[in-house]
């Protein structure tokens, strides 16, 4: 198997050569086709996607030409600016209270942990938090959430496994109103026995929130695993179709993954880049910062 | 954007510009390979893997007489597909069995990849094969992991071993002792996964490996993983010398380019795939199907498999007979509906049809409509079912009431039936080829 052995050798120092590549690519050389190919490698390795990467590089070519730039080092900031501009197209506005956030996303992306961290964030702002465990599908999904709720002294409302999710949300809203809570966080199932059912359930929850708690600002936040590749686009498309997403959180960005798919998402959807998750503790849930995010791609 | 359904079209478009008898130039192959490359990258095949692959296939394509074929675009896809298949391994691999039982299967992989779920599925599968597996909880860090594995074992109906949150190496050793005593022929060890491939964790896995000398070390990897998959796979393989790979979450629209990437860097076979949430949702790895998936050409073979597994042949023969005799009735329609329901979730089935995945929105595939139609047919008299012409306005009202539907529903079903009947006629006339391209109409 010549192909594989060749490839394995080629990949042997992928990581090392990758960061070295980024370092030397912008140093003192003339801009040529090889340069663009290297850039493409960097962008695609960050999971930006082949089509988006191509379009970004086309834009870079245009700007380089317009500004009569000849050296690679002078193009670095231009490339970063292109990415930053895209990310800044969607604005992140401050929350207002009372606030209801429904958290959606497929299983395994770190949804429950993220909810725990968000709860802690609000708790540290002295907000009163209620958590609705509306993932009534997954076995033992609630246990983990309950631990987080106890930790941040949030009220936790849940139902039996297989219970009606929107009924749980209804109860949680009653509880939130009775306690004069500021924030309601709604955990949802990542997957039911089919997509139609899951999406219908989410829509139903949405209806309950708007009907029972109209004074609350209502957000629909999707959690995406940062190690995901291009499938992230499919996930956002589906959930957006069902509930109309407002916010996005990318988790698990403390590894070597860059989560570059958000560039295309920012371009395609009117969705606020809200948080990124970079570790296990609550402090590791950060507000999304377009500048830092782009810098990280070139590290 | 659905690139994949478009791959065939795009290639055809490129080649349509060529003269019919001209010679295929390197430039033209280059154009075609650009499309293939995008397809691979959008399926999350690693950049370098895709690059090497394209170079290799280009060399091959230049040598082949593409223009002699009627559809050069299809021929290129075939070359690409065949090459994908041969690189991913020609046949599906089996699990190794130890000469000295128990056979020890050690799982490894990143957090959230689906290791624990896969343990349950493997256990279930082995049990069905007549084995007596035991699942062992060695993921002592994640709060709910032990509980989750326990539920998995219960669902699979297999033995379960835990020893709290102590030293995973000791737990693994104790489990194997117990397996020997209790006559478990297979031990499946669930291990901890963390986001970062951290050294401490790797050492722990190495220690477990040293202590229990596993027959199989299986790397579990999420089919949706992006470009990082090569580094993950390489790291685990370097440290543990894995024996095979399990690709999880390979359902719905997941393209799974990761399969090619992982195979490329480790050289180890992909053994099984997790294809759904249920305990039985585990399948042997089929390189040919995976190649089609990666290229966005749907998964027709799996669909056919499913159909064969769940369709009652005698019943369908009857339907077929009626089609041939042109006496296709609502009775046959009902049988068909029931067969479809038996095959599983409609949305999943449709997603396996090439090109259909992107054409249908989730809402289009309406299971409740199928149920409604069934109810309507069941509310018809036997005579009406066999001779739909008998159904007049008055009967429609009765049928609608009987099935708790509306006259519109009844009409829409009758229309659907007539269309299907027309299609059947076409089939009898040998226009099957044409019909295959037609939109499903449920």
């Amino acid at each position: 198997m010549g192909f594989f052995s060749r490839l394995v050798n080629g990949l042997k120092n992928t990581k090392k050569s990758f960061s070295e590549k980024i370092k030397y690519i912008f140093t003192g050389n003339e801009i040529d086709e090889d340069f663009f190919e290297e850039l493409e490698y960097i962008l695609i390795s960050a999971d930006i996607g082949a089509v988006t990467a191509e379009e970004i590089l086309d834009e870079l070519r245009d700007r380089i030409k317009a500004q009569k730039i000849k050296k690679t080092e002078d193009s670095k900031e231009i490339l970063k600016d292109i990415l930053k501009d895209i990310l800044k197209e969607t604005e992140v506005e401050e929350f207002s209270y009372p606030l209801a956030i429904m958290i959606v996303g497929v299983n395994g992306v770190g949804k429950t942990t993220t909810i725990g961290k968000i709860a802690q964030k609000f708790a540290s702002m002295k907000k009163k938090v209620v958590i609705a465990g509306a993932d009534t599908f997954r076995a033992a999904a609630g246990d983990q959430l309950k631990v987080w709720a106890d930790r941040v002294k949030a009220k936790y409302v849940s139902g039996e496994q297989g219970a009606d999710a929107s009924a749980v949300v209804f109860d949680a809203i009653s509880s939130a109103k009775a306690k004069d809570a500021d924030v309601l966080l709604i955990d949802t199932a990542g997957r039911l026995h089919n997509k139609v059912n899951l999406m219908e359930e989410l829509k139903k929850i949405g209806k309950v929130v708007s009907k029972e708690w109209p004074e609350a600002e209502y957000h629909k936040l999707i959690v995406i695993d940062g190690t995901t590749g291009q499938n992230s686009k499919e996930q956002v498309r589906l959930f957006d179709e069902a509930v109309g997403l407002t916010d996005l959180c990318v988790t698990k960005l403390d590894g070597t993954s860059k989560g570059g798919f958000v560039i295309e998402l920012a371009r395609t959807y009117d969705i606020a880049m809200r948080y990124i998750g970079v570790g296990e503790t609550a402090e590791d849930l950060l507000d999304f910062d377009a500048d830092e995010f782009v810098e990280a791609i070139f590290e | 954007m659905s690139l994949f359904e478009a791959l065939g079209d795009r290639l055809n478009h490129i080649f349509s510009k060529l003269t019919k008898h001209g010679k295929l130039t390197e430039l033209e192959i280059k154009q075609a390979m650009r499309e293939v490359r995008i397809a691979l990258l959008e399926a999350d095949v690693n950049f370098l893997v895709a690059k090497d692959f394209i170079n290799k296939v280009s060399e091959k394509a230049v040598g082949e007489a593409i223009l002699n074929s009627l559809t050069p675009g299809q021929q290129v896809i075939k070359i690409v597909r065949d090459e994908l298949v041969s690189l991913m391994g020609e046949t599906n691999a089996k699990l190794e069995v130890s000469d000295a039982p128990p056979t020890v299967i050690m799982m490894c992989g990143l957090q959230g990849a689906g290791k624990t779920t896969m343990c349950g599925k493997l256990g279930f599968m082995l049990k069905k094969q007549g084995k007596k597996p035991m699942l062992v909880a060695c993921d002592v860090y994640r709060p709910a992991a032990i509980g989750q594995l326990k539920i998995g074992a219960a669902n699979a109906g297999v033995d379960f071993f835990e020893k709290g949150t102590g030293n995973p190496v000791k737990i693994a050793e104790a489990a194997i002792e117990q397996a020997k005593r209790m006559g478990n022929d297979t031990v499946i060890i669930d291990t901890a996964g963390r986001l970062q491939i951290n050294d401490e964790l790797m050492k722990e896995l190495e220690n477990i490996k040293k202590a229990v000398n596993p027959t199989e070390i299986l790397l579990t990897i999420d089919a949706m993983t992006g470009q990082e998959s090569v580094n993950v796979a390489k790291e685990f393989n370097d440290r543990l010398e894995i024996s095979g790979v399990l690709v999880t979450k390979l359902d719905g629209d997941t393209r799974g380019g990761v399969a090619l990437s992982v195979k490329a860097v480790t050289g180890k076979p992909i053994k099984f795939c997790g294809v759904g949430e249920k305990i039985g949702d585990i399948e042997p790895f089929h390189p040919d199907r995976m190649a089609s998936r990666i290229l966005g050409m749907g998964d027709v073979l799996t669909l056919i498999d499913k159909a064969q597994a769940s369709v009652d042949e005698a019943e369908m023969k009857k339907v077929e007979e009626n089609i041939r005799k042109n006496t296709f009735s609502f009775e046959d329609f009902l049988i068909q509906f029931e067969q479809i329901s038996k095959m599983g979730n409609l949305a999943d089935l449709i997603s396996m049809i090439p090109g259909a995945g992107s054409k249908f929105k989730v809402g289009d595939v309406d299971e409740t409509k199928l149920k409604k139609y069934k109810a309507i047919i069941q509310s018809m008299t036997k005579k009406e079912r066999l001779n739909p012409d008998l159904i007049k306005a008055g009967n429609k009202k009765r049928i609608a009431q009987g099935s708790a539907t509306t006259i519109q529903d009844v009409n829409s079903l009758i229309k659907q039936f007539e269309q299907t009947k027309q299609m059947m006629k076409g089939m009898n006339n040998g226009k099957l080829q044409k019909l295959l391209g037609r939109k499903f109409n449920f």
Side-chain angles (χ1 to χ4, degrees), chain A residues 1 3-8 10-15 21 37 40-42 44-52 54-55 106-109 137-140 143-144 147 190-197 199 225 227-235 237-238 241 251-258 264 277-280, chain B residues 1 3 34 37-38 41-49 51-53 56 86-89 110-113 142-144 147-148 151 194-197 222 224-228 230-231 234-235 249 251-255 260-261 263-267 276-278 345 347-348 351 357-358 360-363 365-367:
Chain A
M1 257 196 208
F3 173 67
F4 285 138
S5 52
R6 198 150 40 95
L7 193 64
V8 171
L11 285 165
K12 224 164 211 157
N13 292 310
T14 305
K15 247 190 216 157
K21 201 162 253 167
E37 204 174 297
E40 189 189 30
Y41 173 44
I42 292 170
I44 289 177
S45 296
D47 287 318
I48 280 179
V51 178
T52 307
E54 206 167 80
E55 285 166 12
V106 301
N107 280 344
V109 296
F137 182 69
R138 198 153 61 111
D143 297 355
Q144 210 185 334
V147 173
R191 190 180 292 160
L192 295 187
H193 55 278
N194 72 43
K195 280 185 206 152
V196 182
N197 283 23
M199 297 304 159
D225 184 331
T227 62
T228 307
Q230 301 310 303
N231 190 266
S232 52
K233 295 184 279 194
E234 190 59 21
Q235 292 171 23
R237 187 181 70 80
L238 271 176
E241 252 173 46
T251 58
K252 307 187 192 175
L253 283 181
D254 46 336
T256 38
S257 289
K258 311 277 191 181
E264 182 166 333
V278 294
E280 309 272 320
Chain B
M1 193 175 6
L3 280 161
R34 185 185 163 273
R37 179 173 171 273
I38 290 175
L41 291 173
E42 290 289 315
D44 290 318
V45 173
N46 176 269
F47 183 89
L48 295 175
V49 176
K51 192 176 171 184
D52 262 30
F53 178 81
K56 190 172 183 197
S86 85
L87 286 178
M88 286 189 292
L110 295 187
Q111 193 173 52
R142 202 157 56 96
Q148 197 191 335
I151 293 169
R194 275 189 209 146
L195 174 55
Q196 275 162 309
I197 306 164
D222 185 333
M224 294 184 285
T225 313
Q227 294 289 315
E228 270 295 292
V230 288
N231 296 328
K234 197 178 163 309
E235 187 76 27
K249 305 183 195 175
D251 41 350
D253 307 303
T254 317
R255 300 270 308 282
L260 181 65
S261 301
K263 176 73 206 249
V265 281
T266 64
E277 196 88 331
K278 289 197 289 287
N345 177 270
D348 287 347
S351 71
S358 49
F360 285 92
K361 281 205 243 153
V362 174
V365 191
D366 197 345
E367 302 248 331

Side-chain angles (χ1 to χ4, degrees), chain A residues 26-231:
Chain A
F26 291 110
T27 47
N29 295 314
E30 298 283 318
I31 291 173
D32 55 12
E33 270 316 298
D34 285 349
F35 171 68
F36 282 106
E37 204 174 297
E38 302 275 287
L39 283 185
E40 189 189 30
Y41 173 44
I42 292 170
L43 295 181
I44 289 177
S45 296
D47 287 318
I48 280 179
V51 178
T52 307
E54 206 167 80
E55 285 166 12
I56 288 167
L57 291 179
D58 284 346
E59 174 70 22
L60 181 67
R61 280 174 208 266
D62 289 349
R63 291 200 196 179
I64 284 175
K65 211 172 170 191
Q67 298 177 34
K68 298 196 170 51
I69 285 166
K70 295 269 184 286
K71 294 270 183 221
T72 56
E73 56 200 353
D74 301 323
S75 67
K76 192 174 187 179
E77 290 310 311
I78 300 176
L79 178 58
K80 284 182 185 171
D81 283 345
I82 292 172
L83 299 175
K84 287 174 189 173
D85 288 350
I86 295 171
L87 287 173
K88 284 172 183 167
E89 270 170 34
T90 56
E91 251 174 277
V92 180
E93 283 167 24
E94 292 276 307
F95 289 125
S96 70
Y97 305 90
L99 171 70
I101 308 178
M102 171 162 75
I103 293 95
V104 301
V106 301
N107 280 344
V109 296
K111 209 166 27 181
T112 308
T113 313
T114 302
I115 293 169
K117 291 179 189 173
I118 295 175
Q120 185 139 336
K121 236 180 166 53
F122 283 117
S124 66
M125 291 158 67
K126 302 273 176 281
K127 301 288 180 197
K128 212 183 269 177
V129 180
V130 174
I131 300 176
D135 179 357
T136 52
F137 182 69
R138 198 153 61 111
D143 297 355
Q144 210 185 334
L145 204 54
K146 175 99 177 37
V147 173
W148 276 101
D150 290 346
R151 201 181 295 170
V152 301
K153 298 193 172 54
K155 164 96 178 157
Y156 178 65
V157 181
S158 68
E160 296 285 296
Q161 189 179 339
D164 183 19
S166 46
V168 173
V169 174
F170 184 90
D171 290 347
I173 291 174
S174 309
S175 169
K177 284 203 262 190
K179 289 190 176 337
D180 203 19
D182 305 293
V183 182
L184 169 65
L185 302 175
I186 304 165
D187 185 22
T188 60
R191 190 180 292 160
L192 295 187
H193 55 278
N194 72 43
K195 280 185 206 152
V196 182
N197 283 23
L198 171 60
M199 297 304 159
E200 285 308 315
E201 180 172 297
L202 295 179
K203 277 182 204 166
K204 226 166 109 191
I205 291 175
K207 272 184 207 151
V208 171
V209 177
S210 343
K211 191 162 164 249
E212 299 302 321
W213 211 16
E215 63 272 30
E217 185 176 287
Y218 182 31
H219 286 248
K220 287 143 285 187
L221 179 140
I222 186 169
V223 181
I224 300 180
D225 184 331
T227 62
T228 307
Q230 301 310 303
N231 190 266

Side-chain angles (χ1 to χ4, degrees), chain B residues 323 328 336 419-428:
Chain B
I323 292 171
F328 185 70
Q336 283 193 323
Q419 280 175 356
T420 309
K421 209 169 165 180
Q422 276 314 112
M423 272 173 58
M424 299 293 180
K425 265 191 193 157
M427 259 154 96
N428 275 344

